[in-house]
Structures are given as structure tokens and as C-alpha cells.
Amino acid sequence: MNIKIQQRNPVLLIHGIDDTEAVFHKMRAYFIQRGWSVYSLNLIPNNGVVGLDELAKQVADYVTATFAPEQRLDLVGFSMGGIVSRYYVQRLGGINRVQRFITISSPHYGTVVAYGSQRPGCLQMRPDSIFLKDLNSDAVMLGQLDFTSIWTPYDLMIVPANSSQMPVGSQVIVPVTLHPWMLTDPRSLAVVTAALAKPIQLPLLNKKSSQQGTSK
């Protein structure tokens, strides 16, 4: 029998390409007002000139330096930050630290926009890249967490937009019209908050995927 535990973990926010942690200004305030402890870091460099696996090491180092070893976390990754976060979870031991994992408009299966740059991080975000194929080969492990992918069908940065869908965990569609608005639209903020507030079920075994939608 699953035991439900309502637990407020620290929330770690991971930004996208060409962004800094400042992009979470509204979201951070929204979460803090509702009782969460919120953390973020600046990925350096933030423009794709290094691989996403290298950026994920910065996330791992930050977690080690900031939180006690026994402290469980909730992780929110926006756009490229969702893929960086996945590498941390799937390849750098984050699976043992993270309980709730949320990606927002992240190119899980790549974006054609990445063809506009030859930078290593952009090459990794192209559709059918070796990097993404490797991560997706064992994405089923995300079912060990409370995983939620949030996306909009109108995204012009994640093309095709349904690249932000994942075959594991839950997904929520928030029909905003611009990629960056996924961090500021009240509907999006409400959806992320609901995902962070979900009780943890122990043990997290045989978690079935679910799908839900939102509409204005």
C-alpha cells in the first residue's frame, strides 16, 4: 500500500539557454509567498558553448555544496534547464536526491531551432542528437520520481512543440502563446505549484503515466 507524505522540499530552479536565474523572479516570489524555500544558480556559460552534461555537473556541485546529504529536493527546469536537470537526475546521481521533478517547455526530443547554432550545447538539443537519444533510452527511470512535463502547443522555441512531451510521468498543457511566458503566466504558475504540492507516494513503484490539460 502506498503511503502519502505531504512534504515541502526545497525547490531548485534551473534556467534555460541565454538566461540567468533572474528569469525566475516572478516564479520565485510566487513560491516563497506560498511557503517554499527556493534556490537557483547561474549556469556558466549560459549560451551553449559547453555541453549540457558539463552544465549538469554545476547543478550536482551546487546541490552538494548547498544541501545536507540527506535533504531531498524538488527540481524545476525551464527549457534547456530541463534537459540539464535530466542529465543530473539520470546520470549524476540526482535520482537519489530529487523527489518531484518538473520540466517546463523543455526539448526532450529536440528542437529544430537548435540547427541555428553549431555550439556544442545546441548540437545536443537538435532532434535525434546522440545526447538526447542516450537520455531518452532510459527515461523510464524518471518514473521513480514524481515527474511532470509542462508545455504549450504554441511554443516557437521548442519546435515541434510536442517535443516537450514525455512518455513517463504526468503532463500538463498550458496554452500560453510565448515560450518565456511559461514562467510568468498565472496558469503556468498554478500548475507548477500544484505539481510541487502533490503528496509523495512511497514506494514510487509502477507509477502510471497520466495526462491532463488546462484551458482558458
Side-chain angles (χ1 to χ4, degrees), residues 77-87 90 101-111 124-129 131-137 139 142 147-151 158-168 170-171:
F78 171 61
S79 195
M80 178 192 77
I83 308 303
V84 172
S85 298
R86 276 189 62 192
Y87 194 91
Q90 293 179 236
F101 179 25
I102 302 163
T103 61
I104 305 172
S105 292
S106 294
H108 296 296
Y109 291 89
T111 173
Q124 291 175 331
M125 288 189 287
R126 290 180 178 181
D128 297 319
S129 73
F131 180 83
L132 289 177
K133 284 182 175 180
D134 176 67
L135 275 186
N136 290 328
S137 69
L142 296 175
F147 175 68
T148 305
S149 55
I150 301 170
W151 62 287
I158 311 301
V159 182
N162 64 4
S163 176
S164 294
Q165 288 181 288
M166 286 289 286
V168 61
S170 304
Q171 66 162 316

Side-chain angles (χ1 to χ4, degrees), residues 20-54:
T20 69
E21 61 180 342
V23 75
F24 292 115
H25 174 75
K26 184 172 182 178
M27 180 174 282
R28 175 195 291 271
Y30 189 91
F31 292 162
I32 290 173
Q33 186 179 33
R34 286 157 180 78
W36 275 275
S37 298
V38 184
Y39 298 79
S40 58
L41 70 155
N42 287 319
L43 301 174
I44 300 172
N46 66 353
N47 60 356
V49 298
V50 301
L52 309 192
D53 47 325
E54 292 297 318

Side-chain angles (χ1 to χ4, degrees), residues 1-3 95 99 140-147 168-169 199-209:
M1 182 176 67
N2 287 340
I3 301 173
I95 192 78
Q99 286 192 317
V140 65
M141 70 188 295
L142 296 175
Q144 299 174 42
L145 312 176
D146 194 306
F147 175 68
V168 61
I200 295 296
Q201 295 189 2
L202 300 177
L204 282 173
L205 297 175
N206 299 320
K207 183 176 184 293
K208 294 182 179 180
S209 297

